[in-house]
Amino acid sequence: MTVAASEPKTGGGGGLKREMGLMSAINVIISVMIGSGIFVSPTAALRYSGSVGFCLVVWTVCGGISLLGALCFAELGTVVPRSGAEYAYLIEAFKKSHSFWGPLPSFICAWVYVMILRPAEIAVIILTFAEYSILPFRHLLGLEYMAADDLHLLIKLIGILGLGIITYINLSSVKLYVTINNVFGFCKVFACLVVIFGGVYQLAIGNTENLAGGFEGTNTSPGHIALAFYNGLWAYDGWSSVTTITEEIKKPEVNIPRSIMIAVPIITGLYVFMNLAYMTVLSMGEMIASEAVGIDFGDRALGSFSFLIPLGVALATFGCALSIQFGVTRLCYVASQEGQMLEPLSYIHVRRATPAPAVAMQGILALAFILVGNIETLIEFASFLIWFFYGAAVVALLALRRTQPDVHRPYKVPLIVPYITLAVSIFLSIVPVISDPSPKYLFAVAFILSGVLVYTPFVYYKVRPRWINKLTFLIQVLFEVVPSSSKLD
């Protein structure tokens, strides 16, 4: 799908700039991992674990497992110093193994992430931001008297505005993104600490009744235990986010492993102690039945400061959507460089050094999902593939260990770690299908097959419609972009 523009591609835009240090890399991980989930619905792990004690064990172990997976990506990020995370590792490990089948896994990865999963996630997250951003002002705005359809329209309009803002930020400059993301990262950690210290206060005044049961009632059914860990691990998703933007990290061979080793344990601590805090004022039944655990906790424990919880959710979701869009545009950028997506998606703005066409495309796709609605179904049928691609990336790590044993590895994870991560990824890919054998998984397979139908003519056989030349030239003029340095030869 790569096509030369009909005019000379001059002006060399260079490539992505390394403008993110260690703290910024840490904040990227925090921004993607901490969304609305820990504030709104951390209940499934509790329901399936059966006791407060085992639930806290589940959250702790899930954090440890996430760290193991992240360490595999830390090695991959130093061996394959390209943005794109799973995509980059799959293309590096298997591209040369077979002319047709070798590049196919990486294309399917990009196809799922770029066309459905990430823009749909952004749409859902930004609508959550819209809903919780107006919640502290519900009395002032008279929202309790507003008709449901009108309220839904208001939330959608605010969501579209929020999407426009994050797209503008990511179009403008990496430095602007880093500055805003650092601020939001600090604010969302502060919101988490508000919950934790609220729980500490409740413990100090003797509210331990809900914790007294300990491990009483723990589910010993293997199926329930599996589902408890399944739901806990989904809450930790996002630990690979820093490897999506490797080419913009300063000293990636040092800062990627360090950022992972710092950020994931921090988030594990926040998640475990936030759940403990919730349990100080909410019983198991109340937590499981709650539609927004953080809001209910705030109403009971924070008094006049309860507005901090919806504010924290709004900050967390905005920062999460901002970082997810930032990351997926880099996947577009790398896939385009490999000829697996339209060539202009790898073009860089001549002054801002941002992949403007890729950012704009992701903004448009997310907007389409907001307007269409029923996004959750799309995410459900595609999201179980995330751990499938994590597992594929671990296979790529093992393959690179065998095919490129002499490559310098600034960080090398112990061999047992990728095997554990691979086992977990297989488990998380199979459990949702077994526990809920829904037709939606057939849609996932159908979408993958549609990717193969696109891949075969346009990527493998390199069919290029004539109008692509005109589109490429139009994008260059409209977005003021030129090919990155690797495309100038």
Side-chain angles (χ1 to χ4, degrees):
M1 297 177 75
T2 56
V3 181
S6 56
E7 295 291 335
K9 300 180 227 178
T10 59
L16 300 175
K17 309 298 182 184
R18 297 194 184 276
E19 299 184 13
M20 305 178 70
L22 177 61
M23 187 56 64
S24 298
I26 292 170
N27 265 314
V28 168
I29 300 173
I30 289 174
S31 291
V32 177
M33 289 185 73
I34 303 180
S36 62
I38 193 62
F39 294 99
V40 178
S41 55
T43 57
L46 176 61
R47 180 169 65 252
Y48 289 115
S49 60
S51 68
V52 294
F54 189 55
C55 178
L56 295 176
V57 170
V58 167
W59 281 101
T60 305
V61 173
C62 286
I65 292 172
S66 299
L67 180 59
L68 296 182
L71 292 177
C72 293
F73 275 64
E75 176 179 332
L76 285 164
T78 59
V79 175
V80 185
R82 300 185 68 187
S83 297
E86 302 97 290
Y87 174 87
Y89 310 144
L90 291 171
I91 198 75
E92 176 69 20
F94 305 119
K95 180 180 179 180
K96 298 178 181 179
S97 62
H98 189 277
S99 60
F100 181 86
W101 299 108
L104 182 59
S106 57
F107 176 81
I108 295 299
C109 177
W111 178 250
V112 171
Y113 280 7
V114 171
M115 301 306 297
I116 287 283
L117 189 54
R118 295 311 186 198
E121 281 183 344
I122 291 166
V124 168
I125 292 168
I126 209 68
L127 287 173
T128 305
F129 156 77
E131 181 179 356
Y132 282 87
S133 64
I134 61 175
L135 200 56
F137 313 104
R138 58 187 182 276
H139 299 303
L140 181 64
L141 299 175
L143 298 182
E144 59 266 41
Y145 307 112
M146 187 176 290
D149 289 343
D150 293 337
L151 181 60
H152 181 71
L153 178 61
L154 175 63
I155 290 172
K156 185 169 286 191
L157 290 174
I158 294 174
I160 292 171
L161 176 62
L163 175 64
I165 293 172
I166 68 170
T167 303
Y168 171 79
I169 292 169
N170 285 328
L171 279 170
S172 295
S173 76
V174 175
K175 287 184 178 180
L176 179 61
Y177 161 77
V178 168
T179 300
I180 293 174
N181 192 53
N182 286 348
V183 171
F184 274 78
F186 172 82
C187 290
K188 67 170 63 178
V189 170
F190 176 76
C192 293
L193 291 175
V194 167
V195 172
I196 291 171
F197 284 113
V200 170
Y201 174 75
Q202 294 298 319
L203 289 174
I205 62 176
N207 280 350
T208 59
E209 180 180 350
N210 296 327
L211 299 171
F215 289 87
E216 182 180 348
T218 297
N219 281 322
T220 56
S221 164
H224 282 89
I225 293 173
L227 287 170
F229 279 99
Y230 170 73
N231 284 280
L233 284 166
W234 275 119
Y236 281 96
D237 187 47
W239 41 259
S240 67
S241 52
V242 72
T243 57
T244 308
I245 56 171
T246 299
E247 292 175 53
E248 288 158 286
I249 303 292
K250 299 174 182 176
K251 297 181 179 179
E253 70 281 357
V254 174
N255 286 330
I256 286 179
R258 284 183 180 175
S259 63
I260 286 170
M261 293 176 190
I262 294 171
V264 176
I266 287 175
I267 293 169
T268 301
L270 291 174
Y271 279 10
V272 171
F273 287 108
M274 286 179 74
N275 275 276
L276 181 63
Y278 293 147
M279 293 170 184
T280 61
V281 296
L282 298 171
S283 67
M284 276 190 61
E286 289 171 329
M287 280 188 67
I288 292 171
S290 175
E291 294 184 359
V293 174
I295 302 295
D296 292 342
F297 171 85
D299 290 341
R300 293 195 189 184
L302 301 180
S304 58
F305 292 97
S306 60
F307 72 92
L308 290 173
I309 301 301
L311 180 61
V313 174
L315 293 171
T317 48
F318 185 88
C320 184
L322 177 67
S323 290
I324 289 177
Q325 188 190 73
F326 185 88
V328 73
T329 57
R330 274 54 184 176
L331 195 160
C332 293
Y333 170 84
V334 175
S336 175
Q337 287 184 323
E338 290 292 336
Q340 294 194 348
M341 288 194 172
L342 291 172
E343 183 181 344
L345 295 178
S346 68
Y347 288 5
I348 300 294
H349 194 280
V350 292
R351 296 183 304 276
R352 298 169 182 167
T354 60
V359 175
M361 185 191 78
Q362 283 300 306
I364 292 169
L365 286 175
L367 175 62
F369 285 124
I370 289 176
L371 295 177
V372 169
N374 297 321
I375 312 164
E376 288 84 355
T377 304
L378 290 172
I379 292 180
E380 285 177 1
F381 89 73
S383 60
F384 85 101
L385 292 171
I386 290 177
W387 271 93
F388 174 83
F389 290 123
Y390 286 163
V394 174
V395 173
L397 183 152
L398 297 172
L400 290 170
R401 287 267 188 105
R402 180 174 57 84
T403 59
Q404 301 180 20
D406 299 325
V407 171
H408 176 59
R409 288 169 167 80
Y411 172 79
K412 190 172 183 179
V413 71
L415 191 59
I416 186 63
V417 174
Y419 284 115
I420 293 173
T421 305
L422 182 58
V424 170
S425 68
I426 293 171
F427 164 76
L428 289 177
S429 300
I430 293 175
V431 164
V433 180
I434 295 175
S435 63
D436 179 22
S438 167
K440 64 191 175 187
Y441 299 117
L442 295 177
F443 289 118
V445 174
F447 186 72
I448 289 173
L449 292 176
S450 70
V452 177
L453 293 178
V454 173
Y455 169 82
T456 303
F458 297 111
V459 178
Y460 183 68
Y461 287 110
K462 302 186 186 302
V463 173
R464 296 177 176 87
R466 292 181 180 179
W467 53 265
I468 291 290
N469 284 331
K470 295 181 180 179
L471 176 63
T472 301
F473 180 70
L474 177 63
I475 290 173
Q476 284 192 265
V477 174
L478 183 62
F479 289 99
E480 298 183 74
V481 292
V482 292
S484 58
S485 54
S486 61
K487 290 285 184 180
L488 291 173
D489 298 329

